[in-house]
Amino acid sequence: MDALLEFAVIFFSCAVYVTFSTFETIFVSKGNRQISPFVGGIKIAIYTAGLGYVLPKLSESKVNLLVYAMGYAFGTFVGMVIIEKMKIGETTVYATLSENKLTVIDALTSMGYGVSYYEINGRDAKRLRVEIVTTRKREKELMAALKSLDEDAFIIAYEPTLFRGGHFGE
C-alpha cells in the first residue's frame, strides 16, 4: 500500500504543478496581470513541495519516473481542458461569404456582434469579407450563426493578443 501512496503523491504533485503551469502560461499570454502572479506563486509552491518529495524517489525505480511522466502528461491534459472550458479571451473571426450578402451583416449585427466588412476579389467572383471580434464564450454561437447564414462561407478564427477600441457584442 505504501508504494501505491507513493505513486499517487508523485503522480498528483506533478499533475497539479503542470496544470497550474498551463494556467500561468495562458494568463501571461493573455496579459492578465492580476491572476498570473498569483497562479505562478501557487505553481512554484506546489513544485517546490512536490519536488522535495518526488526527486529522491525518482532515482529509486524506473516506475517512479514513469508515474512522474504520466502525471506530467495528465496535468497538461487537465490544464488544457480547464482552460478550454473557461473560454478566456477573445476570438477574431474572418468569414469570406460565398456571395455578396449584406443580409448576413444585418443578421450578425442584430445578434449583437460588431462587424466590419469589405469587398474582396475571389478567384471566380467578388466576395464579402467579414471581420468579427467576439468573446471565446460566444465563438460557437457565432460559428453556428455564420454556418446557418451562409453554409459555404470560408471561416478562419484567430486569438488576438492586443486590441483597442471598437465594439464587442456581449
Side-chain angles (χ1 to χ4, degrees), residues 10-153:
I10 291 170
F11 181 88
F12 286 110
S13 65
C14 185
V16 171
Y17 157 71
V18 174
T19 299
F20 273 85
S21 185
T22 303
F23 290 157
E24 180 187 31
T25 301
I26 295 297
F27 290 136
V28 166
S29 72
K30 297 288 184 190
N32 192 323
R33 294 180 183 187
Q34 294 79 28
I35 296 177
S36 299
F38 178 71
V39 171
I42 292 172
K43 175 194 83 168
I44 204 65
I46 292 167
Y47 179 72
T48 305
L51 196 61
Y53 179 81
V54 169
L55 200 55
K57 306 291 183 190
L58 290 180
S59 62
E60 290 177 11
S61 93
K62 294 193 185 323
V63 174
N64 287 350
L65 181 58
L66 179 64
V67 169
Y68 184 82
M70 289 170 40
Y72 196 98
F74 183 73
T76 301
F77 174 77
V78 169
M80 289 170 58
V81 167
I82 292 172
I83 290 295
E84 180 61 30
K85 297 275 186 214
M86 292 172 70
K87 299 210 180 277
I88 298 169
E90 290 74 33
T91 300
T92 300
V93 175
Y94 295 92
T96 302
L97 304 180
S98 62
E99 296 177 25
N100 200 340
K101 298 181 184 178
L102 289 176
T103 56
V104 173
I105 308 309
D106 294 337
L108 293 170
T109 303
S110 71
M111 295 171 70
Y113 293 105
V115 181
S116 298
Y117 63 95
Y118 48 94
E119 193 173 78
I120 62 170
N121 293 315
R123 185 181 72 182
D124 300 324
K126 292 201 180 289
R127 305 273 186 218
L128 207 57
R129 166 71 52 87
V130 179
E131 296 180 17
I132 306 154
V133 179
T134 189
T135 61
R136 287 196 63 228
K137 290 179 182 178
R138 292 192 70 194
E139 184 177 21
K140 281 187 180 180
E141 172 191 330
L142 174 59
M143 293 299 182
L146 283 167
K147 185 176 179 183
S148 72
L149 294 165
D150 185 350
E151 282 191 21
D152 297 321

Side-chain angles (χ1 to χ4, degrees), residues 157-169:
Y158 299 99
E159 288 191 32
T161 56
L162 177 67
F163 52 88
R164 184 177 156 282
H167 167 77
F168 278 91

